[in-house]
């Protein structure tokens, strides 16, 4: 009996060690089932009651029925059914905050490295107490029901560095798990208090320069081809020259009297010069990635002129562009929709925008959605603002918005924009970082609201 | 149903003969004084006051079925809204005789927008730019005459020790100690009834708070602190007490949320006001919803914008809750007012319908 239980324990230990890579990375490794009154599968689909089986931090299945089956360990011993946890309320996917102010320790200390700095390189290793400030930021976001975030480059000025989409691990630390993106800010968003209208132009010039540099490789290739031809000719001439010289040496003495006349001595052919390769630099390499569509470009732009300039930029260079801030974007909502530029709307408008009642957050959101612009709602880089996300979003409903639409703006849309495929809905394979609310919706602050952290 | 109830409320307002009689409002639910939501409760109203509340109301009268949640109108605990832009006297630092009532702008369009958001009473204080700034006034957001509008002519004496606000190179003070010294002078020369029962002080740190509390104790005055500062300053200073807090602003947001959590943990109760030191961002209701999410106490959160401000003003029997004898300052919401998706359907002040949401058009 004792041997069997030891073997069983060993079995489960092995199961843990053989857990999928994702579980090892995130530190979630338990299997259990939650039974709730209901669940919001995605923006449109509802389920009641709801059973969700979770293992390794991911959803195995979600159903109206209890689909638990007995599991066996690797020695064939029955492990029984997964543990069932009954909760009161409705489960929904954790929200995705596509614009935070998280900052790993030490990141940004070297300000000179701004434009090429990558947040992903500064994320702490997964160890307890590794970065307590960042942990506190993650905990605050978790408590507010956030499951994944985008950590922006966060440098000041036009070029703000390279941000990273991240999920949270069992240690409450971010884990690089989505796309990296190039962060820019133009206009007053780049330098608060100062309207620098030429920044949009400056950004365009940077892309033009990158494009020109790339084109200069074509010139280089041409020059190389010419060089190779010239080199072959040179070789021919050289061979001929050497042979002539040998012939003359054999005739030797006959030529002796001319020995002093150096000027008349035949010269060897001139070797052609190898053309210089275009020089690369890290900042430009990043822009080239964006030009290739390998990296999205996120630009904070609030004023109409800046927004228009960014639309032109996208068209000129075929960029994968996401507009942030976008305080005056509703004026060009139709154009943005036609250009397929998604918008990340912050809860708090640009610090220098005068909040007018007619341009309230809800109204600007509704105007963009009416034109079918893809909109994600984010805390907007204001620390601690995450818990206001569902409240502000609810105010959009009070102003006439659609529930599914607004919920998508907090979950599936930002997940898609960040390339976080495992977030934004409650379906098999997605993350089990969820929320549980007891009111009519997650927007109802009169009822309890909790976040579920996978085990 | 929605249209019918709006129509009926409209009818009440346009038929003066019924105002003298009893009207029994029968909403889907009533938000009672203890913060609980009760279904199938009727609220009888006569002469602008609440006559009876109950499942089976005894008095007879016109029964008006309403779709939505009936809640008390919100009370702004300290505000500059609805008054002249500057309610201050800059030539000296002690202006206890300055009265906010003298700077009222009752015809301002602000009142209409307050009603549309479910705010029915506002405590307007002088600007907190003087150590002793003057006296506040409690104003009803609607009413036909001046008598109906002014609920309390002179509320408490209001002062400030917020350095950035009171600092003045010409008349001083230039430090917290100087501010406290000025306050002490005022106390020394004042007659006993100059101050009234309580002193509302805008405060930003623990030192200033302690100083004022010590001074007030010598005169037997109660200090109502309005906390303009940040986290940690107030640790343990206000257990089981009601304090004023500015509505959520933009400055140092993360720490502000933490301040709120700590206050709630101590059992401190809060009354929200919109005279914020930083960029005031939004309404009383948004702050109440935020308080609910941060503390998990919905009943306490709703009290921050209704019962608590009324209690601080000594008006808890009149405004801020649905109870027998109180003014019929009522707001019909489409859902629980702390549900962010709820809209104001109609507003009644002193038993009269003064605002109705336009049909089919949501408020921003």
């Amino acid at each position: 009996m004792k041997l069997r239980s030891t073997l069983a324990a060993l079995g489960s230990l092995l199961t843990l060690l053989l857990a999928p890579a994702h579980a090892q990375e995130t530190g979630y490794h338990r299997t259990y089932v939650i039974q709730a009154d209901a669940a919001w599968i995605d923006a449109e689909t509802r389920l009641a009651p709801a059973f969700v089986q979770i293992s390794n931090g991911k959803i195995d299945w979600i159903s109206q029925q209890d689909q638990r089956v007995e599991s066996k360990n690797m020695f064939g011993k029955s492990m029984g059914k997964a543990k069932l946890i009954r909760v009161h309320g409705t489960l929904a996917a954790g929200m995705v905050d596509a614009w935070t102010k998280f900052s790993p320790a030490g990141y940004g200390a070297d300000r000179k490295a701004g434009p090429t700095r990558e947040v992903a390189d500064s994320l702490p290793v997964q160890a307890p107490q590794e970065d307590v400030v960042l942990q506190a930021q993650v905990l605050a976001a978790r408590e507010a029901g956030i499951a994944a975030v985008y950590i922006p480059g966060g440098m000041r000025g036009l070029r703000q560095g390279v941000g990273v989409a991240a999920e949270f691990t069992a240690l409450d630390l971010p884990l690089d798990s989505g796309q990296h993106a190039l962060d820019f800010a133009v206009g007053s968003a780049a330098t608060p208090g100062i309207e620098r209208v030429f920044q949009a132009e400056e950004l365009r010039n940077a892309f033009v320069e990158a494009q020109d540099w790339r084109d200069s490789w074509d010139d280089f290739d041409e020059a190389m081809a010419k060089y190779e031809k010239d080199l072959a000719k040179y070789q021919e001439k050289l061979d001929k020259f050497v042979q002539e010289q040998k012939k003359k040496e054999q005739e030797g003495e006959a030529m002796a009297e001319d020995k002093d006349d150096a000027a008349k001595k035949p010269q060897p052919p001139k070797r052609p010069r190898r053309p210089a390769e275009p020089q690369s630099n890290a900042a430009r390499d990043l822009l080239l990635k964006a030009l290739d569509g390998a990296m999205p470009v996120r630009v904070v732009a609030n004023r109409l002129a800046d927004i228009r300039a960014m639309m032109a930029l996208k068209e000129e260079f075929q960029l994968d562009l996401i507009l942030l801030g976008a305080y005056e974007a509703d004026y060009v909502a139709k154009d943005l929709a036609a250009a397929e530029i998604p918008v990340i709307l912050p809860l708090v408008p640009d610090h220098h925008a005068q909040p007018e009642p007619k341009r309230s957050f809800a109204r600007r959101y509704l105007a963009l959605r009416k034109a079918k612009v893809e909109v994600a709602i984010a805390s907007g880089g204001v620390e601690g603002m995450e818990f206001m996300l569902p409240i502000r979003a609810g105010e959009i409903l009070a102003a006439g918005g659609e529930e599914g639409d607004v919920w998508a703006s907090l979950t599936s849309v930002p997940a898609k924009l960040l390339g976080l495929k495992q977030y934004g809905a409650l379906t098999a394979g997605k993350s089990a970082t969820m929320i549980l609310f007891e009111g009519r919706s997650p927007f109802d602050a009169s009822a309890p609201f909790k976040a579920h952290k996978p085990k | 149903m929605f249209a019918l109830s709006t129509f009926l409320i409209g009818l009440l307002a346009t038929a003066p003969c019924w105002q003298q009689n009893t009207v029994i409002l029968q909403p889907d639910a009533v938000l009672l004084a203890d913060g609980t939501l009760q279904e199938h409760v009727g609220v009888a109203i006569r002469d602008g006051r609440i006559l009876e509340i109950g499942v089976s109301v005894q008095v007879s009268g016109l029964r008006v079925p309403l779709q939505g949640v009936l809640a008390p109108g919100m009370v702004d605990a300290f505000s500059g809204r609805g008054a002249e832009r500057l309610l201050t006297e800059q030539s000296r630092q002690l202006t206890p005789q300055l009265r906010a009532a003298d700077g009222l702008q009752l015809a301002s369009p602000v009142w209409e927008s307050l009603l549309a958001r479910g705010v029915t009473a506002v405590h307007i204080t002088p600007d907190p730019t003087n150590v002793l700034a003057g006296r506040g006034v409690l104003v009803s957001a609607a009413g036909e005459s001046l008598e109906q509008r002014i609920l309390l002519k002179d509320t408490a004496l209001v002062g400030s020790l917020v350095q950035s606000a009171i600092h003045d190179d010409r008349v001083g003070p230039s430090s917290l100690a100087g501010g406290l010294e000025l306050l002490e002078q005022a106390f020394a020369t004042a007659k006993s009834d100059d101050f009234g029962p309580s002193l509302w002080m805008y405060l930003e740190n623990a030192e200033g708070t302690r100083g004022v509390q010590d001074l007030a104790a010598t005169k037997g005055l109660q200090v109502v602190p309005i906390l303009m500062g940040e986290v940690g300053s107030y640790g343990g200073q206000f257990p089981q007490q009601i304090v004023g807090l500015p509505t959520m602003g933009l400055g140092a947001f993360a720490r502000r949320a933490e301040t709120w959590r700590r206050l709630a943990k101590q059992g401190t109760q809060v009354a929200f006001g919109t005279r914020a030191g930083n960029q005031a961002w939004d309404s009383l209701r948004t702050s109440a919803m935020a308080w609910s999410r941060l503390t998990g106490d919905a009943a306490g959160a709703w009290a921050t914008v209704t019962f608590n401000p009324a209690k601080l003003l000594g008006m808890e029997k009149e405004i801020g809750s649905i109870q027998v004898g109180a003014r019929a300052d009522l707001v019909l919401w489409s859902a629980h007012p702390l549900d962010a998706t709820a809209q104001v359907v109609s507003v009644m002040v002193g038993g009269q319908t003064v605002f109705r949401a336009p049909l089919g058009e949501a408020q921003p």
Side-chain angles (χ1 to χ4, degrees):
Chain A
M1 189 64 204
K2 206 168 185 184
L3 179 73
R4 281 184 68 182
S5 58
T6 316
L7 276 175
L10 263 173
S12 34
L13 187 69
L14 269 170
T15 319
L16 177 63
L17 287 174
L18 295 171
H22 178 263
Q24 289 186 10
E25 270 188 322
T26 56
Y28 309 125
H29 50 74
R30 297 228 330 243
T31 301
Y32 53 99
V33 173
I34 297 178
Q35 178 189 352
D37 299 338
W40 286 20
I41 304 298
D42 54 34
E44 309 300 334
T45 328
R46 310 279 186 261
L47 204 68
F51 293 83
V52 193
Q53 177 162 308
I54 294 153
S55 60
N56 304 322
K58 284 188 170 181
I59 296 171
D60 285 338
W61 48 260
I62 180 160
S63 161
Q64 268 177 300
Q65 283 87 38
D66 185 358
Q67 296 186 354
R68 282 180 299 160
V69 287
E70 290 207 352
S71 63
K72 288 176 179 170
N73 70 11
M74 58 193 308
F75 300 105
K77 183 184 178 336
S78 169
M79 305 282 285
K81 286 183 178 178
K83 190 183 169 194
L84 182 73
I85 303 163
R86 285 196 183 82
V87 293
H88 178 52
T90 305
L91 288 170
M95 290 174 279
V96 177
D97 187 357
W99 184 3
T100 64
K101 206 192 183 176
F102 288 13
S103 185
Y107 176 77
D110 182 2
R111 300 214 163 263
K112 279 183 190 161
T116 55
R117 202 74 199 264
E118 297 210 23
V119 179
D121 295 341
S122 294
L123 288 182
V125 294
Q126 297 294 326
Q129 307 290 311
E130 191 55 34
D131 186 340
V132 286
V133 176
L134 194 57
Q135 252 165 342
Q137 288 175 323
V138 169
L139 274 171
R142 262 197 196 282
E143 215 174 296
I146 310 292
V149 292
Y150 180 80
I151 308 175
M155 299 292 165
R156 287 185 75 104
L158 172 66
R159 297 178 183 214
Q160 306 211 324
V162 181
V164 61
E167 59 186 330
F168 305 147
T169 66
L171 289 171
D172 299 317
L173 283 168
L175 183 73
D176 177 357
S177 48
Q179 63 189 203
H180 297 186
L182 263 174
D183 286 306
F184 296 99
V186 293
S188 62
T191 318
I194 300 168
E195 290 288 341
R196 289 183 59 194
V197 288
F198 298 118
Q199 273 176 331
E201 192 59 28
E202 202 178 319
L203 184 56
R204 184 184 168 268
N205 288 343
F207 275 105
V208 167
E209 195 270 340
Q211 189 93 287
D212 287 351
W213 180 83
R214 173 162 283 171
D215 292 345
S216 72
W217 275 97
D218 293 342
D219 297 344
F220 171 72
D221 289 345
E222 269 175 37
M224 268 310 269
K226 185 174 177 286
Y227 164 71
E228 269 156 25
K229 269 185 203 162
D230 290 350
L231 199 63
K233 276 183 198 163
Y234 161 76
Q235 198 62 45
E236 232 170 74
K237 279 183 189 166
L238 191 66
D239 290 347
K240 209 172 158 190
F241 174 77
V242 171
Q243 274 176 9
E244 275 173 11
Q245 287 297 305
K246 275 184 182 166
K247 213 171 163 187
K248 278 180 188 168
E249 270 174 27
Q250 281 166 6
E251 288 163 10
E253 284 157 74
M255 303 294 289
E257 55 262 36
D258 288 340
K259 216 174 185 177
D260 297 330
D261 198 351
K264 283 188 182 170
K265 196 181 176 184
Q267 294 292 312
K270 218 177 177 185
R271 192 187 162 90
R273 251 190 143 161
R274 194 181 191 278
E277 241 176 67
Q279 290 296 302
S280 73
N281 80 49
R284 191 198 296 118
D285 286 351
L286 287 172
L287 296 186
L288 289 172
K289 275 192 187 173
L291 283 172
D292 293 341
M295 212 183 230
V297 173
R298 295 165 50 111
V299 186
V300 184
N302 282 304
R303 298 291 172 211
L304 195 53
D306 289 326
I307 293 168
R308 285 215 170 101
M310 290 309 108
M311 287 165 69
L313 192 75
K314 181 199 161 90
E315 206 185 331
E316 186 175 359
F317 297 104
Q318 297 300 309
L319 299 173
D320 181 2
L321 181 82
I322 303 171
L323 198 60
L324 284 85
Y327 184 69
E328 292 178 343
D330 47 326
Y331 292 123
V332 283
K334 277 184 186 167
D335 300 338
L336 281 169
E340 293 181 352
I341 298 177
V343 167
I344 298 177
L345 217 53
L347 294 187
V348 181
D350 171 21
H351 187 62
H352 296 279
Q354 289 299 314
E356 309 149 43
K358 294 211 164 174
R359 302 195 38 69
S360 71
F361 173 70
R363 288 204 175 184
R364 285 181 288 121
Y365 174 91
L366 288 173
L368 288 170
R369 286 301 299 144
K370 198 178 166 195
K372 300 206 160 46
V373 178
E374 206 167 27
V375 185
I377 301 171
S379 64
V382 181
E383 205 181 330
M385 188 64 86
E386 304 94 345
F387 81 100
M388 287 303 290
L389 279 170
I391 292 175
R392 282 314 230 179
E395 286 170 2
I396 299 173
L397 298 189
E402 299 283 330
E403 188 174 74
D405 211 27
V406 172
W407 186 240
S409 290
L410 290 168
T411 52
S412 55
V413 175
K416 185 186 143 203
L417 294 182
L418 299 185
L420 289 163
K421 293 193 184 82
Q422 67 277 38
Y423 286 87
L426 288 189
T427 50
K430 302 257 184 191
S431 162
T433 305
M434 305 180 282
I435 59 162
L436 178 71
F437 59 88
E438 290 184 28
R440 300 197 312 173
S441 70
F443 316 117
D444 182 356
S446 74
F449 174 99
K450 277 182 219 156
H452 174 72
K453 174 182 170 180
K455 296 178 173 90
Chain B
M1 190 64 193
F2 175 80
L4 178 69
S5 58
T6 325
F7 169 72
L8 282 171
I9 285 207
L11 213 59
L12 294 177
T14 48
C17 60
W18 285 350
Q19 286 164 22
Q20 306 308 316
N21 299 328
T22 307
V23 174
I24 301 151
L25 303 178
Q26 292 184 309
D28 294 340
V30 176
L31 202 48
L32 294 173
D34 61 358
T36 56
L37 205 59
Q38 282 279 331
E39 290 180 7
H40 315 299
V41 171
V43 178
I45 295 166
R46 187 189 289 162
D47 299 332
R49 288 191 179 267
I50 296 168
L51 190 66
E52 195 184 340
I53 306 163
V55 180
S56 50
V57 177
Q58 300 298 310
V59 294
S60 59
L62 178 71
R63 288 181 183 262
V64 184
L66 299 168
Q67 204 174 35
V69 175
L70 194 67
M74 286 186 275
V75 182
D76 192 339
F78 49 96
S79 179
R81 289 179 184 173
E84 281 177 18
R85 203 173 63 80
L86 287 174
L87 271 182
T88 183
E89 178 47 57
Q90 295 176 352
S91 63
R92 52 195 190 281
Q93 269 298 352
L94 300 173
T95 54
Q97 305 306 321
L98 191 134
R99 297 162 75 246
D102 295 335
L104 269 186
Q105 289 185 328
L106 292 176
S108 161
V110 142
W111 299 106
E112 193 65 27
S113 75
L114 287 173
L115 287 171
R117 282 162 180 75
V119 180
T120 54
V122 179
H123 178 214
I124 300 171
T125 73
D127 287 358
T129 48
N130 285 356
V131 171
L132 273 186
R135 279 178 194 281
V137 58
L138 181 64
V139 185
S140 172
E144 278 162 12
S145 62
L146 192 63
E147 286 70 36
Q148 284 181 10
R149 292 295 299 275
I150 297 192
L151 298 174
L152 257 185
K153 201 173 173 187
D154 287 316
T155 63
L157 195 60
V158 179
S160 169
L161 283 175
V162 177
Q163 277 304 303
S164 57
I166 60 172
H167 174 82
D168 190 315
D169 286 339
R170 295 165 301 127
V171 293
S174 55
S175 67
L176 175 64
L180 281 167
E181 197 220 350
L182 271 169
L183 200 59
E184 195 166 0
Q185 276 177 26
F187 274 117
T189 55
K191 282 170 268 166
S192 59
D193 58 346
D194 276 358
F195 284 86
S198 68
L199 174 66
W200 291 46
M201 286 298 287
Y202 287 85
L203 298 163
E204 62 178 346
N205 51 34
E207 295 76 20
T209 308
R210 255 197 308 278
V212 174
Q213 280 173 333
D214 290 350
L215 277 176
T218 63
K219 286 273 172 187
L221 267 176
Q222 190 216 336
V223 176
V224 174
I226 301 174
L227 308 182
M228 307 299 280
E230 292 300 344
V231 67
S233 307
Y234 312 109
Q237 264 179 308
F238 313 104
Q240 315 304 325
Q241 188 184 339
I242 305 178
V243 301
L245 260 195
T247 46
M248 201 160 7
L250 297 184
F253 196 88
R255 281 176 289 156
R256 187 157 298 259
E258 188 52 33
T259 309
W260 289 14
R261 277 204 188 96
R262 288 193 188 192
L263 287 170
K265 225 175 206 173
Q266 289 169 30
T268 303
Q269 293 180 60
V270 159
F272 280 115
T274 56
R275 195 188 269 287
N278 50 9
Q279 199 178 351
W281 172 39
D282 212 71
S283 66
L284 289 172
R285 181 171 155 246
T286 309
S287 289
M289 287 190 283
W291 182 272
S292 180
R293 273 284 150 91
L294 284 172
T295 65
D297 174 15
W302 183 239
T304 61
V305 289
T306 52
F307 183 79
N308 294 351
K311 170 102 179 159
L312 277 185
L313 290 156
M315 291 286 280
E316 71 272 23
K317 289 197 171 124
E318 287 282 305
I319 56 173
S321 61
I322 296 184
Q323 56 173 314
V324 174
R327 284 169 56 90
D329 291 355
L330 304 169
V331 181
L332 184 68
W333 295 84
S334 61
H336 193 295
L338 291 179
D339 182 340
T341 66
Q343 293 162 276
V344 172
V345 178
S346 55
V347 182
M348 183 180 263
V349 170
Q352 296 218 31
T353 302
V354 291
F355 172 83
R356 264 170 287 154
L359 284 179
E361 192 190 311
Q363 289 300 301

